């Protein structure tokens, strides 16, 4: 066992925004991580080591996040970093993890570059990218919903990648993207941007999350655009904690929805929902299951290799690369590509109907296994 855990503690440092448009996710993410830590600790820890979780505020600012990451790994001797939410902030702290030999886990940032040209051997992402969402979603939309698309997106790394990937894949399917509208991150009054949407398109794809998505749902409804266009979105990002605001007829692609119990009614997920509700008010957000699943998967892997802390980071990286996860044991079937440390989940295309969601199609995993990558470790 590594001497890095000689005090009997494995420290996980999390960095997420406690203010700004993505703060709505942070409390839920932190609660989900703590649920896993408490469960493992109650059962003897990881190879006898207790998990300690330290939460820090990124303020949705790259420089602040870097300061917090440095403090966690240098002053607090964190063995694992977890975060951030925004792709731009996540990218900023990746170098801190790499320089200090600390593994960084992420279940929230979707910009493809994080496991592409900006990849790191120390960075693992446990969620689909916008590319993974667009590849199965766009052909289905072209065949079943419409032939023209407008994209409404948050103007930063993740939203820009959504514009690029949804445009490319919809056009590859035979469709046409006739319009795009960029919205600055954190814009509460979106009226001037909503009014610029070309409503002659068949499909409207909003690539935004958190309070920005909530504002768009509310204000877009007042403009009547949802009556003129079919809305199709990356679901767990766009709806997040706002399931009650789903528009009738909206189509989404997602790996997990807690209210679609007919699809995810497994002991693993239902036990998580029950424990989450014991700690928090209401159902978990869709953003909650990914960090819960991620930390479970990583520490199960850590247990299997006698991981004891930072000194065993390389061994943990080797064990995670190429690992497959079964839907019998976790939330969804998934795998981690060795080429870029990218986790991909089995996804479902869902449609909002009569205050519920109906599964339209399952997006197969195999077509996503060999997507070209610019990653070079």
């Amino acid at each position: 066992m590594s001497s890095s855990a000689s005090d009997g503690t494995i420290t996980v440092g999390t960095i997420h925004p406690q203010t700004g448009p993505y703060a709505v996710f942070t409390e839920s993410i932190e609660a989900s991580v703590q649920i896993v830590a408490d469960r493992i600790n109650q059962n003897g820890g990881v190879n006898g080591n207790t998990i300690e979780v330290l939460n820090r505020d990124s303020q949705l600012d790259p420089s602040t996040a870097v300061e917090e990451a440095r403090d966690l790994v240098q002053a607090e001797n964190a063995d694992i970093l977890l975060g951030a939410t925004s792709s731009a902030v996540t990218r900023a702290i990746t170098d801190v993890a790499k320089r200090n030999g600390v593994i960084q886990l992420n279940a929230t940032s979707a910009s493809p570059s994080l496991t592409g040209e900006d990849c790191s051997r120390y960075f693992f992402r446990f969620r689909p990218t916008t590319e993974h969402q667009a590849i199965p979603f766009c052909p289905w939309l072209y065949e079943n919903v419409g032939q023209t698309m407008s994209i409404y997106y948050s103007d930063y790394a993740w939203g820009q990648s959504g514009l690029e990937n949804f445009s490319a894949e919809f056009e590859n399917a035979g469709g046409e993207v006739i319009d795009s509208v960029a919205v600055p991150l954190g814009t509460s009054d979106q009226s001037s941007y909503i009014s610029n949407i070309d409503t002659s398109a068949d499909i409207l794809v909003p690539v935004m999350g958190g309070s920005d998505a909530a504002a768009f749902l509310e204000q877009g409804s007042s403009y009547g655009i949802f009556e003129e266009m079919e809305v199709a979105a990356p679901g767990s990002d766009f709806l997040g904690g706002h399931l009650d605001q789903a528009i009738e007829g909206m189509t989404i692609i997602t790996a997990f929805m807690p209210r679609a119990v007919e699809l995810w009614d497994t002991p693993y997920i239902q036990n998580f929902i029950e424990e989450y509700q014991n700690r928090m008010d209401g159902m978990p957000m869709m953003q909650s299951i990914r960090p819960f699943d991620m930390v479970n998967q990583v520490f199960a892997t850590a247990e299997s290799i006698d991981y004891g802390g930072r000194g065993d980071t390389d061994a943990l990286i080797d064990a995670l690369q190429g690992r497959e996860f079964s839907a019998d044991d976790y939330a969804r079937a998934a795998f981690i590509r060795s080429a870029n440390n990218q986790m991909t989940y089995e996804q479902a295309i869902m449609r909002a109907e009569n205050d519920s969601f109906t599964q339209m199609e399952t997006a197969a995993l195999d077509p996503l296994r060999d997507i070209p990558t610019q990653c070079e470790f």
Side-chain angles (χ1 to χ4, degrees):
M1 184 174 293
S2 167
S3 61
S4 63
S6 58
D7 65 350
T9 301
I10 294 172
T11 300
V12 178
T14 84
I15 307 173
H16 294 96
Q18 296 174 8
T19 55
Y22 292 144
V24 64
F25 299 137
T26 297
E27 185 179 16
S28 183
I29 291 170
E30 292 175 352
S32 299
V33 173
Q34 193 63 55
I35 286 172
V36 180
D38 290 347
R39 280 186 181 181
I40 292 174
N41 289 340
Q42 289 165 7
N43 287 281
V46 177
N47 298 308
N49 299 292
T50 300
I51 301 172
E52 174 189 38
V53 181
L54 302 178
N55 299 316
R56 297 292 177 84
D57 181 10
S58 72
Q59 299 181 31
L60 205 62
D61 174 67
S63 60
T64 300
V66 166
E67 292 178 6
E68 294 291 358
R70 285 174 179 159
D71 185 69
L72 283 166
V73 299
Q74 295 171 3
E76 301 291 349
N77 296 314
D79 301 287
I80 295 172
L81 285 179
L82 198 158
T85 303
S86 154
S87 294
V89 178
T90 297
R91 184 179 296 140
I93 65 175
T94 299
D95 189 56
V96 177
K98 181 178 180 179
R99 287 178 179 272
N100 289 274
V102 173
I103 195 168
Q104 179 187 356
L105 309 175
N106 181 279
T108 50
S109 303
S111 175
S113 67
L114 291 167
T115 46
E117 61 268 28
D118 297 325
C119 72
S120 164
R121 169 174 159 80
Y122 293 89
F123 178 81
F124 284 79
R125 174 165 42 197
F126 289 69
R127 60 146 300 146
T129 69
T130 51
E131 185 177 28
H132 292 120
Q133 293 167 324
I135 286 173
F137 201 17
C138 287
W140 188 91
L141 290 171
Y142 178 75
E143 292 294 329
N144 295 278
V145 181
Q147 299 183 346
T148 57
M149 177 181 287
S150 177
I151 300 175
Y152 185 84
Y153 66 99
S154 291
D155 195 12
Y156 79 109
W158 170 58
Q160 293 159 6
S161 72
L163 172 67
E164 177 183 355
N165 294 134
F166 275 83
S167 295
E169 296 303 327
F170 193 67
E171 289 169 358
N172 285 343
E176 179 184 5
V177 177
I178 64 173
D179 177 49
S180 64
V181 178
V183 185
L185 186 66
T187 301
S188 56
D189 182 359
Q190 299 179 22
S191 56
S192 63
Y193 300 97
I194 293 171
S195 63
N196 286 330
I197 295 173
D198 186 342
T199 56
S200 67
D202 300 322
I203 304 166
L204 174 62
V205 175
V207 187
M208 52 177 43
S211 60
D212 284 0
F216 171 67
L217 283 165
E218 180 179 350
Q219 295 164 32
S221 179
S222 66
Y223 273 79
I225 61 170
F226 303 141
E227 298 173 4
E228 301 181 58
M229 311 172 75
E230 296 281 344
V231 178
S236 57
D237 304 293
F238 181 65
L239 288 177
H242 310 288
L243 286 174
D244 292 338
Q245 293 178 273
I247 303 155
E248 181 72 12
M250 170 190 286
T251 307
I252 64 173
I253 186 165
T254 184
F256 172 72
M257 288 186 62
R259 296 188 186 180
V261 292
E262 71 276 10
L263 300 177
W264 287 279
D265 189 11
T266 66
Y268 177 83
I269 290 179
Q270 294 306 315
N271 288 340
F272 164 67
I273 291 173
E274 180 180 354
E275 192 159 353
Y276 183 95
Q277 290 179 313
N278 288 337
R279 298 177 183 230
M280 306 287 287
D281 182 21
M283 290 286 286
M285 295 182 179
M286 288 186 285
Q287 292 283 10
S288 308
I289 188 64
R290 285 199 302 251
F292 172 80
D293 218 29
M294 173 181 70
V295 179
N296 267 313
Q297 290 161 335
V298 169
F299 279 121
T301 305
E303 181 76 23
S304 72
I305 63 164
D306 201 29
Y307 173 86
R310 193 187 300 189
D312 297 324
T313 294
D314 285 338
L316 181 56
I317 290 172
D318 291 341
L320 286 169
Q321 289 178 330
R323 196 171 183 92
E324 302 263 349
F325 298 95
S326 168
D328 294 333
D329 301 317
Y330 297 99
R332 301 288 273 173
F335 66 91
I336 301 175
R337 283 188 70 186
S338 298
N340 60 356
N341 296 348
Q342 170 67 55
M343 163 76 86
T344 297
Y345 283 96
E346 182 183 60
Q347 302 173 91
I349 297 172
M350 313 278 291
R351 188 172 179 84
E353 296 177 339
N354 301 317
D355 297 322
S356 185
F357 283 89
T358 300
Q359 181 170 355
M360 310 304 292
E361 186 170 300
T362 298
L365 275 174
D366 284 345
L368 303 178
R369 289 183 180 273
D370 297 312
I371 298 173
T373 178
Q374 298 180 51
C375 175
E376 293 184 6
F377 292 138

